[in-house]
Amino acid sequence: MRYYFENEGLIRLNDYIKKSKPSKIVVITDTNTKQFCLPKLPLNHKFTNVNFEAGDVYKNIDTLKEIWEKLLSLGLDKKSLIINLGGGVVTDIGGFAASTFKRGVKFIHIPTTLLGMVDAAIGGKNGINFMGIKNQIGTIVQPEFVWIYSEFLKTLPKEEFDSGFAEMLKHGLIKDAGYWKELVDFYKNKTGSLSGLIKKSVEIKNTIIAEDPYEHGIRKFLNFGHTLGHAIESYLNYNLNQPITHGKSVAIGMILEAWLSYRVNGLSYNELKEIKANINSIYTRINFSTSDITEIINLMRYDKKNVNGVVKYVLLNKIGNADFDKEIPEDLIHAAFNYYLI
Ligand SMILES: NC(=O)c1ccc[n+]([C@@H]2O[C@H](COP(=O)([O-])OP(=O)(O)OC[C@H]3O[C@@H](n4cnc5c(N)ncnc54)[C@H](O)[C@@H]3O)[C@@H](O)[C@H]2O)c1
């Protein structure tokens, strides 16, 4: 997959449009990226904006239908181009709309959140939530390219920044112990360059995806923290109506799955403590009751990654190294929550 950083991306974008001469260009935004990011997009070409309400709860079939209807009424055809300008919600639903409309029109992602830059826009996964469960329906289709422009981060709220930072921490934990340390230092002591760190995360994710685009093997590493994290996210957002960012859910999931890694996969106790302390210094703790935990475990059974109802985990054996397809006795999950809660 091709990706360009900073000013080079704008040149590439305008060149791409000049050369490919799309019949029509649509820029998809949500209400926030329309306000904060669209005015910063210096496109030298005519386009129409299609906009929808911001928030993961709108990454659903109703919004998708509205987008498809607008694309139809605007007369988009196979030679048109869709540009998705936004966070993971916009790139997920915009990518899904583009990859299915007329059996697929070309699209470009311009992520505007940190999470979008290091994760959601990289890898070609598009989709929507369905019946209250995240990302149940989707496609794996790559954008033409991704343009990462850190200027957009200037208006991003802090909790959204922290959400993306969790995915960067994950990249360090699964693949690169030195990078994990750089990230911890960046957050604690403000050392290093954000742009450089974003590049490193994009490289880690992209290298994994290039080797395993359809998640038969090593792409599963990217699910570290997500097996429990997704269930926590769905439970808080939909069952309790208590909004939580994707990254914060994953951060909690990473502490829980690090504890499971310590119990059954050889992660040392010292590294477990290091992971918990650093993650907890960024993300405020959430309290879970016993019944919350039971509900979260129930939700996890519906995770689309399960095969024949068996939940599989990515577990670390040390910081920077992971194993996938690990099974865990269910009672250990309650114990993992107990470790998180102390
Ligand atoms: N496809 C994938 O591989 C993949 C990977 C990870 C996450 N995701 C999905 O991504 C979504 C989460 O992405 P997200 O965290 O970017 O959420 P998001 O798209 O909802 O963005 C978070 C908030 O920030 C606002 N925003 C975006 N850019 C802004 C900017 N520059 N300035 C001010 N406000 C801005 C948005 O409007 C929204 O309110 C989830 O739906 C998740 O399932 C997909």
Coordinates of all heavy atoms in Angstrom, one line a residue, residues 141-210:
V141 N -10.4 -3.8 1.0 CA -10.0 -3.2 -0.3 C -9.1 -2.0 0.0 O -9.4 -1.2 0.9 CB -11.3 -2.7 -1.1 CG1 -10.8 -2.1 -2.4 CG2 -12.2 -3.9 -1.4
Q142 N -7.9 -2.0 -0.7 CA -7.0 -0.9 -0.4 C -7.3 0.4 -1.1 O -7.8 0.4 -2.2 CB -5.6 -1.3 -0.9 CG -5.0 -2.6 -0.3 CD -4.6 -2.4 1.2 OE1 -4.5 -1.3 1.7 NE2 -4.4 -3.6 1.8
P143 N -7.1 1.5 -0.4 CA -7.2 2.8 -1.1 C -6.1 3.0 -2.1 O -5.1 2.3 -2.1 CB -7.0 3.8 0.1 CG -6.2 3.1 1.1 CD -6.6 1.7 1.0
E144 N -6.3 3.9 -3.0 CA -5.2 4.2 -4.0 C -3.9 4.6 -3.2 O -2.8 4.2 -3.6 CB -5.6 5.4 -4.9 CG -6.8 5.1 -5.8 CD -6.4 3.9 -6.7 OE1 -5.6 4.1 -7.7 OE2 -6.9 2.8 -6.5
F145 N -4.1 5.5 -2.2 CA -3.0 5.8 -1.3 C -3.5 6.5 -0.1 O -4.7 6.9 -0.1 CB -1.8 6.6 -2.0 CG -2.2 8.0 -2.5 CD1 -2.3 9.1 -1.7 CD2 -2.6 8.1 -3.8 CE1 -2.6 10.3 -2.1 CE2 -3.0 9.4 -4.3 CZ -3.0 10.5 -3.4
V146 N -2.7 6.6 0.9 CA -3.1 7.3 2.1 C -2.1 8.6 2.3 O -0.9 8.4 2.1 CB -2.9 6.4 3.4 CG1 -3.3 7.1 4.6 CG2 -3.7 5.2 3.2
W147 N -2.7 9.7 2.6 CA -1.9 10.9 2.8 C -2.0 11.2 4.3 O -3.1 11.5 4.8 CB -2.4 12.1 1.9 CG -1.7 13.4 2.3 CD1 -0.5 13.5 2.8 CD2 -2.3 14.7 2.2 NE1 -0.2 14.9 3.0 CE2 -1.3 15.6 2.6 CE3 -3.5 15.2 1.7 CZ2 -1.5 17.0 2.6 CZ3 -3.7 16.6 1.7 CH2 -2.7 17.4 2.1
I148 N -0.8 11.2 4.9 CA -0.8 11.5 6.4 C -0.2 12.9 6.6 O 0.9 13.2 6.2 CB 0.1 10.5 7.1 CG1 -0.7 9.2 7.1 CG2 0.3 10.9 8.6 CD1 0.1 7.9 7.3
Y149 N -1.0 13.8 7.1 CA -0.7 15.2 7.2 C -0.9 15.6 8.6 O -2.1 15.8 9.1 CB -1.6 16.0 6.2 CG -1.3 17.5 6.0 CD1 0.0 17.9 5.9 CD2 -2.3 18.4 6.0 CE1 0.3 19.3 5.7 CE2 -2.1 19.7 5.7 CZ -0.8 20.2 5.6 OH -0.5 21.5 5.4
S150 N 0.2 15.8 9.4 CA 0.0 15.9 10.9 C -0.6 17.3 11.2 O -1.1 17.5 12.4 CB 1.3 15.7 11.6 OG 2.3 16.5 11.1
E151 N -0.6 18.2 10.3 CA -1.3 19.6 10.5 C -2.7 19.4 11.0 O -3.2 20.1 11.9 CB -1.3 20.3 9.2 CG -2.1 21.6 9.1 CD -1.4 22.7 9.9 OE1 -0.2 22.7 10.1 OE2 -2.2 23.6 10.3
F152 N -3.4 18.3 10.5 CA -4.8 18.1 11.0 C -4.9 17.8 12.5 O -5.9 18.1 13.1 CB -5.4 16.9 10.2 CG -5.7 17.2 8.8 CD1 -5.2 16.4 7.8 CD2 -6.4 18.3 8.4 CE1 -5.5 16.6 6.4 CE2 -6.6 18.6 7.0 CZ -6.2 17.8 6.1
L153 N -3.8 17.3 13.1 CA -3.9 16.9 14.5 C -4.0 18.2 15.4 O -4.4 18.0 16.6 CB -2.6 16.1 14.9 CG -2.5 14.8 14.2 CD1 -1.2 14.1 14.6 CD2 -3.7 13.9 14.4
K154 N -3.7 19.4 14.9 CA -3.8 20.6 15.7 C -5.1 20.8 16.4 O -5.2 21.4 17.4 CB -3.3 21.8 14.9 CG -1.9 21.8 14.6 CD -1.4 23.1 14.0 CE 0.1 23.0 13.8 NZ 0.6 23.9 12.7
T155 N -6.2 20.4 15.7 CA -7.5 20.6 16.3 C -8.1 19.4 17.0 O -9.3 19.4 17.4 CB -8.5 21.1 15.2 OG1 -8.5 20.1 14.1 CG2 -8.1 22.4 14.6
L156 N -7.3 18.3 17.0 CA -7.8 17.1 17.6 C -7.9 17.1 19.1 O -6.9 17.5 19.8 CB -6.9 15.9 17.2 CG -7.5 14.5 17.4 CD1 -8.7 14.2 16.5 CD2 -6.4 13.5 17.2
P157 N -9.1 16.8 19.7 CA -9.1 16.8 21.2 C -8.1 15.8 21.8 O -7.8 14.8 21.2 CB -10.6 16.4 21.5 CG -11.3 16.6 20.2 CD -10.3 16.5 19.1
K158 N -7.7 16.1 23.1 CA -6.6 15.3 23.7 C -7.0 13.9 23.9 O -6.2 13.0 23.6 CB -6.2 15.9 25.1 CG -5.1 15.1 25.7 CD -4.7 15.6 27.1 CE -3.6 14.8 27.7 NZ -3.9 13.4 27.9
E159 N -8.3 13.6 24.3 CA -8.7 12.2 24.5 C -8.6 11.4 23.2 O -8.4 10.2 23.2 CB -10.0 12.1 25.2 CG -11.2 12.5 24.5 CD -12.5 11.8 25.1 OE1 -12.4 11.1 26.0 OE2 -13.6 12.1 24.5
E160 N -8.9 12.1 22.0 CA -8.8 11.5 20.7 C -7.3 11.2 20.4 O -7.0 10.2 19.8 CB -9.4 12.3 19.6 CG -10.9 12.5 19.8 CD -11.7 11.1 19.8 OE1 -11.2 10.1 19.4 OE2 -12.8 11.1 20.3
F161 N -6.4 12.2 20.8 CA -5.0 11.9 20.6 C -4.6 10.7 21.3 O -3.9 9.8 20.8 CB -4.2 13.2 21.0 CG -2.7 13.0 20.8 CD1 -2.1 13.4 19.6 CD2 -1.9 12.4 21.8 CE1 -0.8 13.2 19.4 CE2 -0.5 12.2 21.5 CZ 0.0 12.6 20.3
D162 N -5.0 10.6 22.6 CA -4.6 9.5 23.4 C -5.1 8.2 22.9 O -4.5 7.1 23.0 CB -5.1 9.7 24.9 CG -4.4 10.8 25.6 OD1 -3.3 11.2 25.1 OD2 -4.8 11.2 26.7
S163 N -6.3 8.3 22.2 CA -6.9 7.1 21.6 C -6.0 6.5 20.6 O -5.7 5.3 20.6 CB -8.3 7.4 21.0 OG -8.8 6.3 20.4
G164 N -5.5 7.4 19.7 CA -4.5 6.9 18.7 C -3.2 6.4 19.3 O -2.6 5.5 18.8
F165 N -2.8 7.1 20.4 CA -1.5 6.7 21.0 C -1.5 5.3 21.4 O -0.5 4.6 21.4 CB -1.2 7.7 22.1 CG 0.2 7.8 22.4 CD1 1.1 8.4 21.6 CD2 0.7 7.2 23.6 CE1 2.5 8.4 21.9 CE2 2.1 7.2 23.9 CZ 3.0 7.9 23.1
A166 N -2.7 4.8 21.8 CA -2.8 3.4 22.3 C -2.4 2.4 21.2 O -1.7 1.4 21.4 CB -4.2 3.1 22.8
E167 N -2.8 2.7 20.0 CA -2.4 1.8 18.9 C -0.9 1.9 18.6 O -0.3 0.9 18.2 CB -3.2 2.2 17.6 CG -4.7 2.0 17.7 CD -5.2 0.6 17.8 OE1 -4.4 -0.4 17.6 OE2 -6.4 0.3 18.0
M168 N -0.3 3.1 18.8 CA 1.1 3.2 18.6 C 1.8 2.3 19.7 O 2.8 1.6 19.4 CB 1.5 4.6 18.7 CG 0.9 5.5 17.6 SD 1.2 7.2 17.8 CE 2.8 7.4 17.1
L169 N 1.3 2.4 20.9 CA 1.9 1.6 22.0 C 1.8 0.1 21.7 O 2.7 -0.7 21.9 CB 1.2 1.9 23.3 CG 1.4 3.3 24.0 CD1 0.4 3.5 25.1 CD2 2.8 3.4 24.4
K170 N 0.7 -0.2 21.1 CA 0.5 -1.6 20.7 C 1.6 -2.0 19.7 O 2.1 -3.1 19.8 CB -0.9 -1.8 20.1 CG -1.2 -3.2 19.5 CD -2.4 -3.3 18.7 CE -2.1 -2.7 17.3 NZ -3.3 -2.7 16.4
H171 N 1.8 -1.2 18.7 CA 2.9 -1.5 17.7 C 4.2 -1.8 18.4 O 4.9 -2.7 18.0 CB 3.0 -0.4 16.7 CG 1.8 -0.2 15.8 ND1 1.3 1.0 15.4 CD2 0.9 -1.1 15.3 CE1 0.3 0.9 14.6 NE2 0.0 -0.4 14.6
G172 N 4.5 -1.0 19.4 CA 5.8 -1.3 20.1 C 5.7 -2.6 20.8 O 6.7 -3.4 20.8
L173 N 4.6 -2.8 21.5 CA 4.5 -4.0 22.3 C 4.6 -5.3 21.5 O 5.2 -6.3 21.9 CB 3.2 -4.0 23.1 CG 3.2 -3.0 24.3 CD1 1.8 -3.0 25.0 CD2 4.2 -3.4 25.4
I174 N 4.0 -5.3 20.3 CA 4.0 -6.5 19.5 C 5.2 -6.7 18.7 O 5.6 -7.8 18.3 CB 2.7 -6.7 18.6 CG1 2.6 -5.5 17.6 CG2 1.5 -6.8 19.4 CD1 1.6 -5.7 16.5
K175 N 5.9 -5.6 18.4 CA 7.0 -5.7 17.3 C 8.3 -5.1 17.7 O 9.3 -5.5 17.1 CB 6.5 -5.0 16.0 CG 5.9 -5.9 15.0 CD 7.0 -6.8 14.3 CE 6.6 -7.9 13.5 NZ 7.2 -9.2 13.7
D176 N 8.4 -4.1 18.6 CA 9.6 -3.4 18.7 C 9.7 -2.7 20.1 O 9.2 -1.7 20.3 CB 9.6 -2.3 17.6 CG 10.9 -1.5 17.4 OD1 11.6 -1.5 18.4 OD2 11.2 -1.0 16.3
A177 N 10.6 -3.4 20.9 CA 10.7 -3.0 22.3 C 11.3 -1.6 22.4 O 10.9 -0.8 23.2 CB 11.6 -4.0 23.1
G178 N 12.2 -1.3 21.4 CA 12.9 0.1 21.4 C 11.8 1.1 21.1 O 11.9 2.2 21.7
Y179 N 11.0 0.8 20.2 CA 9.9 1.8 19.8 C 9.0 2.0 21.0 O 8.6 3.2 21.3 CB 9.2 1.3 18.6 CG 8.0 2.2 18.1 CD1 8.2 3.5 17.9 CD2 6.8 1.6 17.9 CE1 7.2 4.3 17.4 CE2 5.7 2.4 17.4 CZ 6.0 3.8 17.2 OH 4.9 4.6 16.7
W180 N 8.6 1.0 21.7 CA 7.8 1.1 22.9 C 8.4 2.1 23.9 O 7.7 3.0 24.4 CB 7.5 -0.3 23.5 CG 7.3 -0.3 25.0 CD1 8.2 -0.6 26.0 CD2 6.0 -0.1 25.7 NE1 7.6 -0.5 27.2 CE2 6.2 -0.3 27.1 CE3 4.7 0.2 25.2 CZ2 5.2 -0.1 28.0 CZ3 3.7 0.3 26.2 CH2 3.9 0.2 27.6
K181 N 9.7 2.0 24.1 CA 10.4 2.9 25.0 C 10.4 4.3 24.5 O 10.2 5.2 25.3 CB 11.9 2.4 25.2 CG 12.0 1.1 26.0 CD 13.0 1.3 27.1 CE 13.2 0.1 28.0 NZ 12.0 -0.6 28.4
E182 N 10.6 4.5 23.2 CA 10.6 5.8 22.6 C 9.2 6.5 22.8 O 9.1 7.6 23.1 CB 10.7 5.7 21.1 CG 12.2 5.7 20.6 CD 12.2 5.6 19.1 OE1 11.7 6.5 18.4 OE2 12.8 4.6 18.6
L183 N 8.1 5.7 22.7 CA 6.8 6.2 22.9 C 6.5 6.6 24.3 O 6.0 7.7 24.6 CB 5.7 5.1 22.4 CG 5.7 4.8 20.9 CD1 4.9 3.5 20.7 CD2 5.0 6.0 20.2
V184 N 7.0 5.7 25.2 CA 6.8 6.0 26.6 C 7.5 7.3 27.0 O 7.0 8.2 27.7 CB 7.3 4.8 27.5 CG1 7.4 5.2 29.0 CG2 6.3 3.6 27.3
D185 N 8.7 7.5 26.5 CA 9.5 8.7 26.7 C 8.9 9.9 26.1 O 8.8 11.0 26.7 CB 10.9 8.5 26.0 CG 11.9 8.0 27.0 OD1 11.5 7.7 28.1 OD2 13.1 7.8 26.6
F186 N 8.3 9.7 24.9 CA 7.7 10.8 24.2 C 6.5 11.3 25.0 O 6.4 12.5 25.2 CB 7.1 10.4 22.8 CG 6.3 11.4 22.1 CD1 6.8 12.4 21.4 CD2 4.9 11.3 22.2 CE1 6.0 13.4 20.8 CE2 4.1 12.3 21.6 CZ 4.7 13.3 20.9
Y187 N 5.7 10.4 25.6 CA 4.5 10.8 26.3 C 4.9 11.5 27.7 O 4.4 12.5 28.1 CB 3.6 9.7 26.5 CG 2.2 10.2 26.7 CD1 1.3 10.3 25.6 CD2 1.7 10.6 28.0 CE1 0.0 10.8 25.8 CE2 0.4 11.1 28.1 CZ -0.4 11.2 27.0 OH -1.7 11.7 27.2
K188 N 5.9 10.8 28.3 CA 6.3 11.3 29.7 C 7.2 12.5 29.6 O 6.9 13.5 30.3 CB 7.2 10.2 30.3 CG 6.4 9.3 31.3 CD 7.5 8.5 32.1 CE 6.8 7.3 32.7 NZ 7.8 6.3 33.0
N189 N 8.2 12.5 28.7 CA 9.2 13.6 28.8 C 9.2 14.5 27.6 O 10.1 15.3 27.4 CB 10.6 13.0 28.9 CG 10.7 11.9 30.0 OD1 10.1 12.2 31.1 ND2 11.3 10.8 29.8
K190 N 8.2 14.2 26.7 CA 8.1 15.1 25.5 C 9.4 15.0 24.6 O 9.8 16.0 24.0 CB 7.7 16.5 25.8 CG 6.5 16.7 26.6 CD 5.2 16.6 25.7 CE 3.9 16.3 26.5 NZ 3.4 15.0 26.5
T191 N 10.0 13.9 24.5 CA 11.2 13.7 23.7 C 10.8 13.1 22.4 O 9.8 12.4 22.3 CB 12.2 12.8 24.3 OG1 11.6 11.5 24.6 CG2 12.8 13.4 25.6
G192 N 11.6 13.3 21.3 CA 11.3 12.7 20.0 C 10.3 13.5 19.2 O 9.7 14.5 19.7
S193 N 10.1 13.1 17.9 CA 9.2 13.8 17.0 C 8.0 13.0 16.7 O 8.1 11.8 16.4 CB 9.9 14.2 15.7 OG 9.5 13.5 14.7
L194 N 6.8 13.7 16.9 CA 5.6 12.9 16.7 C 5.5 12.4 15.2 O 5.1 11.3 15.0 CB 4.4 13.9 17.0 CG 3.0 13.2 16.7 CD1 2.8 12.0 17.6 CD2 1.9 14.2 16.9
S195 N 5.9 13.3 14.3 CA 5.9 12.9 12.9 C 6.7 11.6 12.7 O 6.3 10.7 12.0 CB 6.4 14.0 12.1 OG 5.9 14.0 10.8
G196 N 7.9 11.6 13.3 CA 8.8 10.4 13.1 C 8.1 9.1 13.8 O 8.2 8.0 13.2
L197 N 7.5 9.3 14.9 CA 6.8 8.2 15.6 C 5.7 7.7 14.7 O 5.5 6.5 14.6 CB 6.4 8.6 17.0 CG 7.5 8.9 18.0 CD1 7.0 9.5 19.2 CD2 8.3 7.7 18.3
I198 N 4.9 8.6 14.1 CA 3.8 8.2 13.3 C 4.3 7.3 12.1 O 3.8 6.3 11.8 CB 3.0 9.4 12.8 CG1 2.3 10.1 13.9 CG2 2.0 9.0 11.7 CD1 1.6 11.4 13.5
K199 N 5.4 7.8 11.5 CA 6.0 7.1 10.4 C 6.3 5.7 10.8 O 6.1 4.7 10.1 CB 7.3 7.8 10.0 CG 7.2 8.3 8.6 CD 8.6 8.9 8.2 CE 8.3 9.9 7.1 NZ 9.5 10.7 6.8
K200 N 6.9 5.5 12.0 CA 7.4 4.2 12.5 C 6.2 3.3 12.7 O 6.2 2.1 12.3 CB 8.1 4.4 13.8 CG 8.6 3.2 14.4 CD 10.0 2.9 13.9 CE 10.4 1.5 14.4 NZ 11.6 1.0 13.9
S201 N 5.1 3.8 13.2 CA 3.9 3.0 13.4 C 3.3 2.6 12.1 O 2.9 1.4 11.9 CB 2.8 3.8 14.2 OG 2.9 3.4 15.5
V202 N 3.3 3.5 11.1 CA 2.8 3.2 9.8 C 3.6 2.1 9.2 O 3.1 1.1 8.6 CB 2.7 4.4 8.9 CG1 2.4 4.1 7.5 CG2 1.7 5.4 9.4
E203 N 4.9 2.2 9.3 CA 5.8 1.2 8.8 C 5.6 -0.2 9.4 O 5.5 -1.2 8.7 CB 7.3 1.5 9.0 CG 7.9 2.4 7.9 CD 9.1 3.1 8.4 OE1 9.8 2.7 9.3 OE2 9.4 4.2 7.8
I204 N 5.4 -0.2 10.7 CA 5.2 -1.5 11.4 C 3.9 -2.1 10.9 O 3.8 -3.3 10.5 CB 5.1 -1.3 13.0 CG1 6.5 -1.0 13.5 CG2 4.6 -2.6 13.6 CD1 6.6 -0.7 15.0
K205 N 2.8 -1.3 10.9 CA 1.5 -1.9 10.4 C 1.6 -2.3 9.0 O 1.1 -3.4 8.6 CB 0.4 -0.9 10.7 CG -1.0 -1.5 10.3 CD -2.2 -0.9 10.8 CE -3.4 -1.8 10.4 NZ -4.7 -1.2 10.6
N206 N 2.2 -1.5 8.2 CA 2.2 -1.8 6.7 C 3.1 -3.0 6.4 O 2.7 -3.8 5.5 CB 2.7 -0.5 6.0 CG 2.3 -0.5 4.6 OD1 1.2 -0.9 4.2 ND2 3.2 -0.2 3.7
T207 N 4.2 -3.2 7.1 CA 5.0 -4.3 6.9 C 4.2 -5.6 7.2 O 4.3 -6.6 6.5 CB 6.3 -4.3 7.8 OG1 6.9 -3.0 7.5 CG2 7.3 -5.4 7.5
I208 N 3.5 -5.6 8.3 CA 2.7 -6.8 8.7 C 1.7 -7.1 7.6 O 1.5 -8.2 7.2 CB 2.1 -6.5 10.1 CG1 3.2 -6.5 11.2 CG2 1.0 -7.6 10.4 CD1 2.7 -6.2 12.6
I209 N 1.0 -6.0 7.2 CA -0.1 -6.2 6.2 C 0.4 -6.7 4.9 O -0.3 -7.5 4.2 CB -0.9 -4.9 6.1 CG1 -1.8 -4.9 7.3 CG2 -1.7 -4.8 4.9 CD1 -2.2 -3.5 7.7
A210 N 1.5 -6.1 4.5 CA 2.1 -6.5 3.2 C 2.3 -8.1 3.1 O 2.1 -8.7 2.1 CB 3.4 -5.8 2.9

